[in-house]
Amino acid sequence: MKNTLLSTVCLFVLTATVSLAQDFRGLDQSPLDIAYYPDNFAHDRKPGEKAAIKVVYSRPQMKGREIFGEKVPYGEVWRVGANEATEVKFYEDVTIGGKSLSAGTYALFSIPNEDEWTIIFSDDLDYWGAYSYKEANDVLRVTAPVSSLDQPVEAFTIQFTEDGQQAVMQLAWENTVAKLPIDISK
């Protein structure tokens, strides 16, 4: 009797475990990443130092595909990355392209073109992709010049550099980089 009861319980536990494992979705194809300004913030933070900008995004892979003009069509709204819409958080007020943007969290979209991108900051957060994008929710639109890279970038990447007193958000993938200067209010 004990053996039958023990066998039945073990079989139930095994069946429940297998069925739960089958319902658990796999990993996203495009891993999540975070970019900070200052760029070394996450790794070399000094006591009392705070980030000025944080970008949370997913990194799609090139995988031998032609990206801009094909996978990401020119002239159409793109979510800037993969999976959920990319979000950028400004911890302080900023000026971008001569236009003010208040501290806060925004969805980041773009309209890529060959020579420049329109960069869009939207207050419509928390959804997947750009399928529900509404221009009416735009808070700020600016343009960013585009240049070619000598070496291709396999995984879409956002990084920050500095140019004098400005942070420069770099959006790079394939052989393309868009650079967006951002003035941090002090």
Side-chain angles (χ1 to χ4, degrees):
M1 178 73 173
K2 281 186 178 181
N3 287 341
T4 304
L5 182 59
L6 183 58
S7 295
T8 303
V9 170
C10 287
L11 183 60
F12 175 75
V13 170
L14 181 61
T15 302
T17 303
V18 169
S19 68
L20 286 176
Q22 291 172 349
D23 291 339
F24 192 77
R25 69 174 174 84
L27 296 175
D28 288 337
Q29 292 294 313
S30 301
L32 190 64
D33 202 354
I34 299 174
Y36 284 101
Y37 178 78
D39 187 50
N40 65 349
F41 177 77
H43 303 290
D44 301 323
R45 182 183 344 179
K46 295 168 184 60
E49 184 179 33
K50 295 183 179 179
I53 306 169
K54 176 182 176 182
V55 182
V56 178
Y57 68 106
S58 290
R59 302 182 70 197
Q61 307 289 312
M62 200 164 57
K63 296 182 182 176
R65 301 174 293 183
E66 185 174 332
I67 302 302
F68 295 107
E70 292 294 321
K71 180 71 177 158
V72 176
Y74 289 128
E76 294 183 19
V77 173
W78 177 49
R79 67 181 134 198
V80 184
N83 303 332
E84 292 77 14
T86 293
E87 290 187 3
V88 57
K89 181 174 185 173
F90 296 103
Y91 293 89
E92 305 172 28
D93 294 345
V94 296
T95 302
I96 305 172
K99 300 174 184 176
S100 297
L101 186 61
S102 297
T105 302
Y106 303 92
L108 182 66
F109 298 98
S110 70
I111 302 173
N113 285 297
E114 290 184 64
D115 55 345
E116 71 179 12
W117 288 9
T118 299
I119 306 294
I120 303 165
F121 297 90
S122 171
D123 62 7
D124 197 7
L125 301 171
D126 299 320
Y127 59 85
W128 198 89
Y131 303 106
S132 300
Y133 167 79
K134 293 179 186 84
E135 187 174 341
N137 295 322
D138 291 0
V139 176
L140 178 67
R141 279 183 175 225
V142 294
T143 57
V146 170
S147 56
S148 296
L149 297 168
D150 294 333
Q151 298 291 320
V153 175
E154 174 64 31
F156 173 71
T157 302
I158 298 176
Q159 292 182 352
F160 287 95
T161 60
E162 290 184 356
D163 184 10
Q165 298 295 325
Q166 292 182 318
V168 179
M169 181 190 296
Q170 298 184 100
L171 308 148
W173 199 15
E174 192 182 30
N175 294 312
T176 302
V177 61
K179 296 181 179 182
L180 183 65
I182 302 170
D183 291 311
I184 310 291
S185 299
K186 297 290 179 190

